[in-house]
Amino acid sequence: MIKGYFLPCAKGNLFVSQYGQTNSQKTILLLPSIFEELNLSRAILTKQALFLAKQGYCVYALDYLGTGDSEQDIEQVNVAIWRDNIVTTVKWLQSKDIQSITLWGVRFGGLMALTTLQSIESILPVEQILLWKPVMKGKQFMTQFLRLKQANSMMQGEQKVNWRERILSGTNVEVAGYEITADFLSSIDSLEVSKALALTCPLTWFELASASIPPAVLIQTKEWDQQLLKTACFEGSAFWQIPEIFEQSQLHLPTLNALQGEA
């Protein structure tokens, strides 16, 4: 079963997809990535959600304002608005008599999940967290995104430009089809997951497209509660970066096992 809902909030209507029958005990909130990563991973996340639905889970996938099928454009939003979007969605789940949730964060969605966790937990208990190749630093994520602009401009024979500096000075810049504002960029640049993050529930980290856990991940999670943390590597394609990859079925069972505490 697939359903779609528009949830009213202060800045526009949010779109939330539902995969599976409502289940107050087995509810997952999927927080996806943004930009082209959202578009390139959409089919894979949908198939994973449908697989989980067959196992009795109910997955709700949020499109933040300015992304996917939600209202507004990217230049009209920032991280504070996206956090409010998540809170609005969790309150809506609470109104549907959902008792607790699992957070599933993919890439940038992992960053949003961990940096909004306290607000989420003030509304509904979070039973566990599942992260697919999560981003830990917003500034690093945007640096990689702005490289697309740099590469494109240099291919056209233009001189090297500090695009971050230009945007933060107040000039809107189009990057890969997205209008980036100073407000939007600075809000993402400020996002970072603490190396001293106090876990309150089990967290499973899937390091995708990798044969081993990178040193940066080990450093990031060194001080986290190791009894609550599990990490696993999966080789394969970085589907969030590569067009026309629509299947990652090798992740179906490991994801289910992680949700069931068997990873």
Side-chain angles (χ1 to χ4, degrees):
M1 182 192 77
I2 303 176
K3 289 184 178 180
Y5 306 88
F6 279 104
L7 310 184
C9 62
K11 302 294 184 178
N13 289 320
L14 289 172
F15 187 75
V16 177
S17 303
Q18 176 183 346
Y19 303 92
Q21 299 288 341
T22 301
N23 187 328
S24 63
Q25 303 299 321
K26 298 173 73 173
T27 297
I28 300 170
L29 176 58
L30 167 58
L31 300 179
S33 197
I34 56 175
F35 303 137
E36 283 308 294
E37 289 194 2
L38 169 63
N39 300 325
L40 294 175
S41 62
R42 178 78 80 179
I44 288 164
L45 298 184
T46 296
K47 288 179 180 179
Q48 179 70 65
L50 290 171
F51 173 81
L52 294 174
K54 291 180 180 178
Q55 317 307 315
Y57 289 88
C58 186
V59 180
Y60 294 90
L62 169 63
D63 288 349
Y64 321 106
L65 283 181
T67 74
D69 292 315
S70 289
E71 293 182 346
Q72 305 297 359
D73 296 313
I74 207 79
E75 63 265 29
Q76 298 170 300
V77 299
N78 56 34
V79 165
I81 290 173
W82 285 351
R83 281 179 168 157
D84 183 66
N85 294 167
I86 295 171
V87 167
T88 295
T89 305
V90 175
K91 287 181 176 178
W92 174 71
L93 293 175
Q94 183 187 48
S95 74
K96 293 170 68 68
D97 295 324
I98 302 301
Q99 302 300 308
S100 62
I101 59 173
T102 288
L103 292 178
W104 175 19
V106 178
R107 295 286 295 143
F108 184 82
L111 180 59
M112 290 301 298
L114 295 182
T115 55
T116 315
L117 184 58
Q118 188 172 358
S119 297
I120 296 170
E121 290 181 319
S122 70
I123 304 165
L124 277 177
V126 176
E127 293 292 334
Q128 57 184 315
I129 301 169
L130 173 65
L131 305 177
W132 277 16
K133 189 69 173 181
V135 172
M136 292 289 107
K137 296 180 180 180
K139 187 171 185 179
Q140 185 178 63
F141 180 83
M142 289 306 295
T143 295
Q144 294 171 347
F145 181 66
L146 292 173
R147 284 177 185 153
L148 298 175
K149 181 66 176 180
Q150 188 75 345
N152 185 61
S153 63
M154 294 184 74
M155 285 176 62
Q156 297 181 28
E158 300 175 11
Q159 293 185 341
K160 190 173 183 178
V161 174
N162 186 326
W163 292 107
R164 173 177 269 107
E165 185 177 279
R166 178 170 294 189
I167 294 168
L168 293 177
S169 71
T171 301
N172 291 0
V173 173
E174 180 273 323
V175 184
Y178 299 91
E179 191 82 4
I180 306 302
T181 68
D183 179 45
F184 177 81
L185 177 58
S186 61
S187 73
I188 293 186
D189 278 356
S190 67
L191 276 183
E192 183 172 348
V193 177
S194 172
K195 290 184 174 64
L197 177 69
L199 294 179
T200 56
C201 64
L203 184 151
T204 303
W205 180 311
F206 279 9
E207 187 62 21
L208 306 181
S210 179
S212 61
I213 300 294
V217 175
L218 297 175
I219 293 170
Q220 175 70 48
T221 61
K222 182 179 179 180
E223 297 180 33
W224 296 8
D225 189 334
Q226 300 301 303
Q227 291 186 324
L228 293 175
L229 174 67
K230 292 182 179 180
T231 56
C233 293
F234 296 91
E235 295 185 71
S237 301
F239 58 84
W240 56 93
Q241 297 175 338
I242 304 171
E244 298 183 3
I245 296 180
F246 306 112
E247 188 70 52
Q248 293 283 284
S249 57
Q250 72 273 18
L251 295 175
H252 288 184
L253 280 175
T255 297
L256 175 63
N257 291 339
L259 295 172
Q260 295 176 339
E262 300 171 3

